[in-house]
Amino acid sequence: MSTKIKLMSLVGARPQFIKLAPLVKAIEVFNEGSSSTQVDHYIIHTGQHYDHGMSDIFFDELEIPHPDINLGVGSGPHGVQTGKMLEGIEKILMDEKPDMLVIFGDTNSTIAGALAAAKLHIPIAHIEAGLRSFNRKMPEEVNRIMSDHVSDLLLAPTPTAIANLKNEGLESRTISSGDIMYDTVMLNSKLAEKKSTILEKLNLEKGSYAIATCHRAENTNDPQRLTHIMNSFNKIATEHLPVVFPMHPRTKHILPNVLPDWKAAENLIILEPLGYLDMVQLIGGAKMALTDSGGLQKEAFFLECPCVTMRDETEWTETVEAGGNIITGADPEKIMNAVQHWEKMTAQGHTFTEKLQETFGEGKSADITIIEIIKFLESKEMIPA
Ligand code: UD1
């Protein structure tokens, strides 16, 4: 007779669906290969992201089963949004009594899950633990620190994340797992090449354009920073190369209020949010990426696309040290200098991914995660060893 484990994954925002996908596959493989232990996997969606383009498309493209429960929380101020999630998640955890809750990354969905499970003494595994920007003004930084400290199993993607956890006294709960987003890129970049028609649709050649995103509160909620970034995108598109800009809903809502007279330059191609395959295809073919997203900095690095990060710091310091990422903040001059630098370096055939696997693992993070979860539950005698 095999032992059954009830594992619950909690997601809510776009980057979390992308991190969940390889875990779903790893659980399938584990169940096929194990006669003694079987994992029953439940997926809870908080509904933080709800549009087709921000949510459903990722479940479809990445073949993630539809969530067992969707709380439909939607958007709102941080307290309201997180509070509604907390109430909903607590009820589910009390009803379903999972053996472990898996949380991902640094969103309001992450912290709500962490808090609800910790109070009910349900063990928590945190995927992408240990990331720090050391900027407490970022809501994500608060979410990360709080989630790490109440989690039982900390799956840290990079040596820096491991060191951060050690510095906070969390070493004994830390596992070096590699980065699960690297798994997703490895599993899907060939598929993207085959299936995505985005380059044809936009009439773009590989290596001839930049990919850009902007959605962080620190940029969108600061009129001066947003102005600098939007004007820089226009300047780059006019003076350098076409810029493809899939616009996050947050930015789309805010832009007309902050910059009512702003108009996109001819070569600034503004799109609705894209699915994963189109995005991977665009990053893989871009001459450079301009972003304030954590995930895109990594994906650009995995796909050897030089990056300009429009933030004042990054959690992914290894990408900078390796020579693949430049931190510019929202300073227009620094952004333009970085663009010129990448124009020059790409012409010289610059590469920077020699230490990719040393830093981010081998694209087997989801497999490592499942094995560590089983080991953890055995060590707590929640399942027989
Ligand atoms: C969240 C995460 C961030 C992550 C990002 C990825 C937090 C604190 N932040 O920020 O870590 O990098 O997701 O996208 O959890 N909206 C839509 N449609 C949707 C979803 C959102 O229109 O499907 C709009 C909302 O109305 C709102 C805005 O986007 O005005 C922001 O949504 P929010 O839930 O706060 O998350 P993000 O800003 O995306």
Side-chain angles (χ1 to χ4, degrees):
M1 234 199 36
S2 67
T3 308
K4 284 226 183 246
I5 292 175
K6 194 166 183 178
L7 195 66
M8 196 173 266
S9 286
L10 180 79
V11 289
R14 180 168 64 175
Q16 296 172 318
F17 314 138
I18 294 166
K19 289 166 196 153
L20 171 64
L23 191 70
V24 167
K25 295 236 159 33
I27 292 172
E28 280 168 17
V29 172
F30 176 85
N31 281 344
E32 275 161 26
S34 168
S35 54
S36 58
T37 307
Q38 291 290 296
V39 178
D40 268 347
H41 187 213
Y42 292 74
I43 299 172
I44 310 301
H45 189 325
T46 61
Q48 177 171 354
H49 285 175
Y50 41 86
D51 291 345
H52 174 80
M54 295 291 285
S55 176
D56 298 354
I57 190 167
F58 297 93
F59 284 82
D60 296 344
E61 278 190 348
L62 300 173
E63 296 175 348
I64 305 168
H66 281 279
D68 295 279
I69 300 175
N70 189 326
L71 291 172
V73 160
S75 305
H78 284 270
V80 174
Q81 187 182 53
T82 314
K84 281 188 193 162
M85 290 176 188
L86 192 52
E87 192 179 349
I89 298 163
E90 183 178 64
K91 181 160 183 347
I92 295 167
L93 295 178
M94 278 163 48
D95 291 346
E96 297 296 330
K97 300 184 179 54
D99 293 306
M100 190 160 214
L101 183 75
V102 186
I103 56 173
F104 301 79
D106 59 14
T107 73
N108 287 342
S109 301
T110 317
I111 180 65
L115 214 47
K119 299 270 176 123
L120 292 168
H121 309 154
I122 292 171
I124 305 162
H126 184 197
I127 291 183
E128 210 179 75
L131 274 296
R132 297 290 182 266
S133 63
F134 303 100
N135 174 1
R136 291 259 179 129
K137 286 202 178 134
M138 284 177 76
E140 292 85 357
E141 182 78 350
V142 177
N143 293 341
R144 288 175 194 134
I145 296 171
M146 308 271 284
S147 299
D148 282 340
H149 281 260
V150 294
S151 290
D152 301 273
L153 191 59
L154 298 169
L155 296 137
T158 60
T160 303
I162 294 168
N164 290 337
L165 292 169
K166 189 174 173 192
N167 285 341
E168 292 175 28
L170 300 173
E171 193 179 11
S172 63
R173 300 183 227 164
T174 301
I175 300 290
S176 167
S177 62
D179 194 305
I180 205 158
M181 284 184 74
Y182 187 40
D183 295 24
T184 321
V185 165
M186 299 267 276
L187 288 167
N188 291 287
S189 51
K190 284 208 183 79
L191 193 66
E193 188 73 49
K194 225 177 354 184
K195 280 201 168 170
S196 167
T197 54
I198 190 78
L199 293 176
E200 292 79 358
K201 269 192 219 148
L202 299 177
N203 203 11
L204 289 170
E205 297 276 325
K206 280 188 178 177
S208 70
Y209 63 90
I211 175 87
T213 73
C214 172
H215 83 279
R216 289 246 163 246
E218 70 210 62
N219 285 331
T220 56
N221 296 359
D222 179 330
Q224 204 190 14
R225 289 181 76 106
L226 190 61
T227 306
H228 284 332
I229 291 172
M230 291 302 131
N231 289 344
S232 297
F233 285 180
N234 269 349
K235 195 163 179 317
I236 297 161
T238 306
E239 294 176 11
H240 285 271
L241 73 180
V243 177
V244 182
F245 178 26
M247 203 188 276
H248 189 282
R250 177 207 284 272
T251 317
K252 192 175 169 184
H253 289 167
I254 292 175
L255 198 55
N257 300 323
V258 176
L259 293 171
D261 298 327
W262 182 84
K263 271 203 188 65
E266 202 187 338
N267 272 337
L268 178 61
I269 305 161
I270 297 185
L271 305 173
E272 290 296 314
L274 292 167
Y276 187 76
L277 297 181
D278 281 345
M279 200 61 195
V280 164
Q281 183 66 2
L282 273 173
I283 300 165
K287 193 174 207 177
M288 66 187 83
L290 297 129
T291 193
D292 58 7
S293 147
L296 202 112
Q297 287 174 61
K298 285 192 287 179
E299 286 161 343
F301 190 77
F302 301 153
L303 295 164
E304 194 118 45
C305 169
C307 190
V308 180
T309 296
M310 302 170 304
R311 289 182 42 200
D312 297 331
E313 69 282 304
T314 181
E315 302 79 27
W316 307 103
T317 49
E318 286 96 341
T319 61
V320 178
E321 284 150 20
N325 192 2
I326 300 174
I327 307 298
T328 61
D331 180 330
E333 203 181 317
K334 285 189 186 161
I335 295 173
M336 293 314 290
N337 286 344
V339 169
Q340 277 159 12
H341 177 77
W342 289 137
E343 287 271 28
K344 200 171 88 200
M345 296 299 276
T346 48
Q348 291 170 8
H350 173 63
T351 59
F352 46 81
T353 49
E354 297 79 19
K355 291 192 181 159
L356 194 161
Q357 298 208 341
E358 209 175 286
T359 310
F360 290 99
E362 293 167 11
K364 301 262 176 253
S365 179
D367 294 334
I368 295 171
T369 298
I370 287 303
I371 290 164
E372 291 298 333
I373 285 174
I374 304 287
K375 273 204 239 163
F376 173 87
L377 293 174
E378 283 172 354
S379 75
K380 299 285 170 207
E381 295 178 356
M382 294 174 71
I383 55 172

